[in-house]
Amino acid sequence: MRTNKTSHATRASEKALTTRLTDKYVLRLFVAGATARSRQAILRVRQLCEAELKDNCTLEVIDIYQQPGLARENQIVATPTLIKELPRPIRRFIGNLANTDGLFAELALITKDQTA
Amino acid sequence: MKKNTPDSTSPATLLPKCPTGIQGLDEITGGGLPRGRPTLVCGGAGCGKTLLAVEFLVRGAVQFDEPGVLMAFEETEAELKANVASLGFDLAGLVQRKKVVIDYVHIERSEVQESGEYDLEGLFVRLNYAIDSIGAKRVVLDTLEALFASLPNEAILRAELRRLFRWLKDKGVTAVITAERGRDQLTRHGLEEYVSDCVILLDHRVNEQIATRHLRVVKYRGALHGTNEFPFLIGDEGISVLPITSLGLNHKISTERIATGIPRLDAMLGGRGFFRGSSILLTGTPGTGKTIVSANFAQAAARRGERVLFFSFEESPNQIIRNMHSIGLRLEPLVKRRLLRFHSARPSLYGLEMHLATMFKEIAAFQPAVVIVDPITSLMDAGTASECRGMVTRLVDYLKAGQVTSLFTSLTQAGHSLQQSEASMSSLMDSWILLQDFEGNGERNRVLYVLKARGMKHSNQIREFLISDHGIDVVDAYIGPSGVLTGSARAAQNALEKAAMLASQQEAAQLKREVDRKRAALERQISDLRADYETEALELRRIAQQVGTRTFVLGTERAASGRLRQADIKVAASTRGKSKLGGKS
């Protein structure tokens, strides 16, 4: 499972690096169980993906209760954590994403670049 | 809590403890850290927090079969493994054997943005996962406070930390949390608020250019503990804390006596030398022969087949061997037979604690029956007087516990009052022998006396102490009306006495001869007189004989003439006899 994921991620990043212009978004959201906070975060990310990034986005939601090993691998301390794997640079957004200004700024920068 | 079986202490009333295995720390804490509870270890930079924590974990895994989790916030797994490998901890091996799990928690501040509410459930999950994966009983969180730098929301962090400690307790693991020392409080971020069971403070102080680490148990809820500040050091076998009073005064006591190697000195000590396992102080001004007496003692012990460890802080082993050879002490064969071992180090090489630790290690490795420290006063240079005294106390305690006889030489500076300068050390010692210089008569001579010898009859006499090609000789000093005489003065006095004796002997002989002569003369006189007397007696006899003969002859003559004259018989005869007799005489 783990090898699959990493190889997938590596492949994705390689692809992203070579074909910069496709601007594929890879997002991973780590949550801890089905708490209110987790649900809020998942909801927000889904909305974002659908509304802003269209089909250009791969979202993976991981429950660290189910896969605690992944929490260590990905250096998860706070939950929920959203990791923007691609495009580079990697960014982590911690919290229930109630405040998405920072996130939008990060993502918007890319979209603007693309449009420009 | 119930997952763990409290096993380290038997009385139910006591708090169950978790032995750390760290030398000395378990003695101070009375058995270890509180089992199933978190302990806070705080201190400034470079005072050994991480090391203490890692040692707790490693020893737990190796010695007590308690696997452990190390959650590191500052050093990566590889760094940690490398760092502790130099101390002989095989962290990598333990990780491989699944005795230890290392989880490096790292948050890159620049990558992180806050976007709403969060908690630290990620940390909990990771910790829980690590603990469950190997059945860990011990947990170390090495500088949890690093989180304060990575996560901006302190309110959330504090709430989560409180929850974390509660969670650790519920999980029943014995945890060590390290934290940086704060300015006004124990830790920079006030972690002591959350960890209230046991707090250990580490400290690294520089005093007169010598750095010493100290450990203090600030708080230990529900248990007795040593409250003092204890020096500790980081050697190549990890941390060793050196509690001054760790052993108390209840060591086993031997009544066996061991010879000093100097027969006359044995004689001064009740005839049989020192007690085995006692501590002996040998003080003296420079050049009084302290090392020589020590070497003699060492040789005597080694010749009995006992192992002797000689700590020299002034001379190199070869120098001692050469010097002793010059007075007829052959130490080299004993060194070769591994009965005698030298350990030489300059006092300024490292701090006092390091010296002590080195000595402990040497003693533990060599297992000697006799330990000699020459001179203990050199170590004063490596620390303050009180530290030095503490060190000697610990050393003496340690040696006595192992029934090791110890001889410490101490250099007395000229001009100091002897009792004063040694007072701090002498009370630790069972026997005290003093070597001193006597100056006078244009020379210096050594004398020796026993100042104290606990538990044995000892001589109160000053003895002169001679060093020759054949070693040490202790002779009676001359004590007469003019005081103590040594050296040539003693020799002169001896000669003087000899002469006087000779003179009086001669005088007596002469007197005897005279008397004899007088007697002979008298006897001669007596025999002369007797001879005289005898001659006279002989004469007397002869005369008496003559008289008798004459009377007879006269009588015969008269009768004959009467007959011739046919005279008137009786009357005439008598008158004529008379007249004739008178006329003739």
Side-chain angles (χ1 to χ4, degrees):
Chain A
M1 174 117 182
R2 181 191 154 188
T3 45
N4 275 345
K5 281 248 151 40
T6 43
S7 63
H8 172 73
T10 327
R11 242 184 287 127
S13 67
E14 276 167 4
K15 195 179 164 194
L17 285 171
T18 46
T19 59
R20 178 78 172 77
L21 287 173
T22 56
D23 278 320
K24 176 104 178 150
Y25 284 84
V26 176
L27 301 176
R28 306 174 89 192
L29 178 66
F30 290 83
V31 294
T35 59
R37 238 177 246 150
S38 302
R39 282 200 299 274
Q40 284 161 4
I42 294 167
L43 200 66
R44 290 274 180 170
V45 175
R46 289 236 164 99
Q47 280 174 355
L48 180 83
C49 281
E50 282 160 22
E52 303 287 328
L53 307 169
K54 306 284 181 313
D55 296 330
N56 225 1
C57 161
T58 314
L59 174 69
E60 193 182 354
V61 177
I62 297 151
D63 182 1
I64 54 170
Y65 285 159
Q66 306 297 319
Q67 293 165 290
L70 287 180
R72 182 180 169 180
E73 270 170 48
N74 293 283
Q75 285 292 358
I76 302 303
V77 173
T79 48
T81 297
L82 176 69
I83 303 180
K84 184 195 74 165
E85 300 262 1
L86 282 176
R88 293 292 196 242
I90 292 177
R91 282 286 176 268
R92 289 162 179 260
F93 302 91
I94 56 173
N96 60 358
L97 303 174
N99 171 10
T100 48
D101 292 352
L103 179 61
F104 268 72
E106 278 289 335
L107 298 174
L109 190 70
I110 305 300
T111 40
K112 264 176 204 158
D113 281 352
Q114 192 188 15
T115 48
Chain B
M1 199 66 170
K2 274 170 189 162
K3 275 186 208 162
N4 280 338
T5 44
D7 49 7
S8 53
T9 46
S10 40
T13 47
L14 287 179
L15 199 71
K17 293 193 177 173
C18 176
T20 59
I22 295 171
Q23 214 181 335
L25 184 58
D26 292 343
E27 285 163 23
I28 297 170
T29 53
L33 304 179
R35 183 173 287 280
R37 299 184 185 200
T39 295
L40 183 67
V41 175
C42 47
C47 63
K49 300 182 294 289
T50 303
L51 191 68
L52 188 129
V54 171
E55 187 167 351
F56 165 72
L57 216 58
V58 170
R59 294 210 182 272
V62 174
Q63 292 175 7
F64 307 104
D65 196 31
E66 292 189 356
V69 169
L70 172 57
M71 198 163 236
F73 293 84
E74 289 186 329
E75 290 167 284
T76 65
E77 188 168 341
E79 279 169 353
L80 271 169
K81 282 175 183 169
N83 291 353
V84 299
S86 63
L87 300 163
F89 299 149
D90 181 19
L91 204 52
L94 288 170
V95 169
Q96 216 164 34
R97 294 203 301 276
K98 296 208 180 295
K99 290 285 183 191
V100 170
V101 168
I102 302 177
D103 188 356
Y104 170 57
V105 178
H106 174 74
I107 301 171
E108 187 62 56
R109 185 68 186 88
S110 58
E111 284 182 3
V112 176
Q113 282 194 22
E114 249 181 69
S115 60
E117 286 174 28
Y118 59 92
D119 53 31
L120 297 187
E121 195 60 29
L123 199 67
F124 285 72
V125 167
R126 284 167 76 169
L127 200 50
N128 191 45
Y129 178 64
I131 291 171
D132 290 347
S133 68
I134 55 165
K137 301 265 191 289
R138 301 181 176 205
V139 168
V140 166
L141 302 174
D142 187 28
T143 329
L144 194 56
E145 285 179 321
L147 286 178
F148 282 92
S150 334
L151 297 173
N153 193 333
E154 201 173 311
I156 290 179
L157 202 50
R158 289 195 178 276
E160 287 296 284
L161 287 184
R162 192 180 292 277
R163 188 161 75 94
L164 177 68
F165 292 126
R166 186 68 250 164
W167 181 85
L168 284 170
K169 270 192 185 182
D170 291 343
K171 192 83 184 162
V173 291
T174 311
V176 169
I177 293 112
T178 65
E180 201 71 26
R181 181 84 196 260
R183 206 164 280 163
D184 302 320
Q185 46 195 359
L186 287 174
T187 59
R188 195 171 288 168
H189 295 279
L191 283 185
E192 63 268 27
E193 253 176 70
Y194 312 117
V195 185
S196 46
D197 293 295
C198 180
V199 177
I200 294 173
L201 185 64
L202 305 181
D203 176 35
H204 199 184
R205 272 204 303 273
V206 178
N207 196 355
E208 286 180 13
Q209 301 180 2
I210 291 153
T212 312
R213 292 185 165 94
H214 295 271
L215 179 148
R216 183 161 69 95
V217 180
V218 179
K219 177 174 178 179
Y220 199 137
R221 192 170 277 179
L224 290 173
H225 61 89
T227 51
N228 295 345
E229 210 169 38
F230 298 98
F232 77 96
L233 35 97
I234 300 171
D236 50 11
E237 279 159 10
I239 288 176
S240 51
V241 188
L242 309 154
I244 293 172
T245 50
S246 68
L247 300 151
L249 286 171
N250 46 12
H251 11 263
K252 259 188 3 200
I253 291 302
S254 168
T255 50
E256 194 192 335
R257 303 282 281 268
I258 57 173
T260 59
I262 307 167
R264 276 302 292 268
L265 185 55
D266 291 344
M268 288 172 79
L269 295 164
R272 289 187 294 156
F274 300 116
F275 281 114
R276 180 175 297 289
S278 66
S279 50
I280 303 145
L281 181 65
L282 191 66
T283 55
T285 44
T288 43
K290 295 178 296 294
T291 306
I292 292 175
V293 173
S294 321
N296 241 292
F297 187 50
Q299 189 198 30
R303 283 197 173 156
R304 283 193 302 270
E306 295 169 8
R307 277 197 291 270
V308 183
L309 189 53
F310 199 118
F311 292 102
S312 168
F313 295 109
E314 284 184 341
E315 292 175 276
S316 72
N318 290 332
Q319 195 182 343
I320 294 176
I321 288 170
R322 183 202 66 195
N323 293 354
M324 293 308 131
H325 194 256
S326 74
I327 59 154
L329 282 178
R330 298 183 58 93
L331 300 178
E332 210 175 344
L334 300 172
V335 173
K336 277 192 181 137
R337 282 168 58 201
R338 297 182 177 282
L339 286 171
L340 177 60
R341 184 142 105 188
F342 285 97
H343 178 90
S344 289
R346 277 275 168 216
S348 51
L349 186 61
Y350 28 65
L352 210 49
E353 302 306 330
M354 197 66 195
H355 273 295
L356 189 58
T358 320
M359 287 166 93
F360 276 8
K361 222 175 67 186
E362 281 278 323
I363 291 164
F366 191 57
Q367 293 290 324
V370 173
V371 165
I372 292 167
V373 181
D374 179 41
I376 193 83
T377 32
S378 284
L379 292 178
M380 295 262 191
D381 301 344
T384 62
S386 73
E387 277 175 341
C388 192
R389 176 163 199 253
M391 178 207 158
V392 176
T393 312
R394 273 176 282 154
L395 187 59
V396 166
D397 269 355
Y398 179 73
L399 292 172
K400 280 193 167 178
Q403 293 231 348
V404 178
T405 315
S406 50
L407 178 85
F408 300 90
T409 69
S410 163
L411 182 71
T412 328
Q413 291 306 324
H416 277 264
S417 158
L418 190 81
Q419 272 75 5
Q420 198 185 345
S421 56
E422 304 304 330
S424 60
M425 208 147 342
S426 69
S427 60
L428 299 169
M429 299 295 168
D430 296 322
S431 305
W432 187 2
I433 290 170
L434 198 68
L435 298 171
Q436 223 175 353
D437 263 345
F438 257 50
E439 195 184 339
N441 222 11
E443 60 187 28
R444 270 183 183 278
N445 293 296
R446 302 177 176 95
V447 295
L448 169 155
Y449 49 97
V450 180
L451 212 65
K452 89 169 176 188
R454 281 178 185 156
M456 61 176 90
K457 205 164 68 181
H458 56 275
S459 168
N460 63 350
Q461 297 293 302
I462 292 185
R463 294 273 183 263
E464 189 172 351
F465 169 73
L466 299 176
I467 299 169
S468 68
D469 296 351
H470 316 293
I472 294 176
D473 206 4
V474 177
V475 296
D476 294 347
Y478 178 83
I479 301 157
S482 51
V484 178
L485 296 181
T486 56
S488 64
R490 176 177 51 80
Q493 185 65 33
N494 279 348
L496 220 63
E497 280 186 353
K498 219 172 185 175
M501 181 115 59
L502 209 65
S504 67
Q505 269 174 1
Q506 281 170 347
E507 206 173 318
Q510 185 150 3
L511 208 66
K512 188 170 177 283
R513 272 200 306 279
E514 206 149 301
V515 167
D516 282 351
R517 209 187 55 226
K518 256 188 193 158
R519 186 175 146 183
L522 273 174
E523 272 175 0
R524 217 170 32 249
Q525 271 183 332
I526 287 168
S527 71
D528 281 356
L529 282 172
R530 183 167 286 154
D532 279 358
Y533 163 75
E534 265 167 17
T535 349
E536 274 173 36
L538 210 64
E539 184 72 16
L540 186 66
R541 246 196 327 266
R542 197 179 50 84
I543 290 172
Q545 222 169 0
Q546 260 180 350
V547 170
T549 321
R550 195 172 297 165
T551 316
F552 176 71
V553 172
L554 270 177
T556 325
E557 275 179 6
R558 196 174 295 134
S561 65
R563 262 191 319 266
L564 287 171
R565 278 185 236 154
Q566 301 192 342
D568 23 32
I569 325 321
K570 295 215 175 161
V571 184
S574 66
T575 45
R576 278 185 195 166
K578 270 180 196 168
S579 62
K580 214 174 182 177
L581 249 175
K584 190 169 185 185
S585 60

